[in-house]
């Protein structure tokens, strides 16, 4: 059975460290430390105090200075050919697509937006 889901970047990293998604991150070890002891997500996850300390170092002024030229970028970024547009020119869909590396023949799918709803007769099975 194949399964796809979305996860926050920290959880993606945690599963990658563990080498599997078939673990309970709340109680199973992600791996073993250099000292031979089990390492759990709770050992790596920041505390509320850690997050508050990091947030206290960020200000609107710092953000504005840091990102003032974010759209300029280095020469390699500037060399990327793009079509000027107010929005990104998606293919046919703005929904998550099946990755091509699964290699299965593609089925025709409805072009309806998931936000518009579906009638029972139009459901993909």
């Amino acid at each position: 059975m194949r399964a796809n889901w979305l996860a926050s970047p920290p959880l993606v990293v945690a599963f990658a460290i563990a080498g599997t998604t078939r673990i309970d991150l709340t109680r199973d070890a992600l791996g073993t430390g250099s000292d031979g002891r089990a390492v759990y997500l709770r050992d790596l996850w920041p505390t509320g105090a850690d997050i508050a300390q990091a947030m206290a170092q960020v200000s609107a002024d710092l953000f504005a200075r840091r990102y003032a030229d974010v759209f300029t970028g280095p020469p390699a970024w500037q060399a990327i050919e793009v079509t000027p547009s107010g929005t990104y020119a998606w293919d046919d869909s703005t929904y998550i697509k099946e990755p091509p590396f699964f290699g299965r023949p593609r089925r025709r799918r409805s072009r309806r937006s998931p936000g518009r709803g579906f009638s029972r007769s139009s459901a993909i099975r």
Side-chain angles (χ1 to χ4, degrees), residues 11-12 35-36 40 43 52 78 83 85 90 117 124:
L11 292 180
V12 170
D35 60 359
Y40 297 88
D43 299 328
Q78 294 174 11
T83 304
S85 171
W90 293 99
I124 299 172

Side-chain angles (χ1 to χ4, degrees), residues 65-117:
R65 281 185 285 121
R66 181 74 150 164
Y67 292 99
D69 65 346
V70 71
F71 294 109
T72 304
W77 175 259
Q78 294 174 11
I80 298 172
E81 292 185 30
V82 296
T83 304
S85 171
T87 59
Y88 181 78
W90 293 99
D91 296 346
D92 290 331
S93 173
T94 59
Y95 197 65
I96 299 169
K97 293 186 176 185
E98 182 174 52
F101 50 80
F102 282 132
R104 289 184 12 178
R106 294 185 181 261
R107 294 179 288 177
R108 268 199 182 270
R109 297 190 185 252
S110 169
R111 294 180 69 139
R112 294 190 76 163
S113 166
R116 287 191 218 148

Side-chain angles (χ1 to χ4, degrees), residues 21-87:
T21 57
R22 295 174 175 248
I23 64 168
D24 180 347
L25 292 175
T26 63
R27 62 181 174 83
D28 297 337
L30 300 178
T32 306
S34 59
D35 60 359
R37 294 175 32 199
V39 177
Y40 297 88
L41 181 62
R42 63 182 169 264
D43 299 328
L44 307 175
W45 203 262
T47 65
D50 293 333
I51 294 170
Q53 181 182 13
M55 294 297 294
Q57 297 176 34
V58 178
S59 68
D61 180 57
L62 171 69
F63 185 85
R65 281 185 285 121
R66 181 74 150 164
Y67 292 99
D69 65 346
V70 71
F71 294 109
T72 304
W77 175 259
Q78 294 174 11
I80 298 172
E81 292 185 30
V82 296
T83 304
S85 171
T87 59

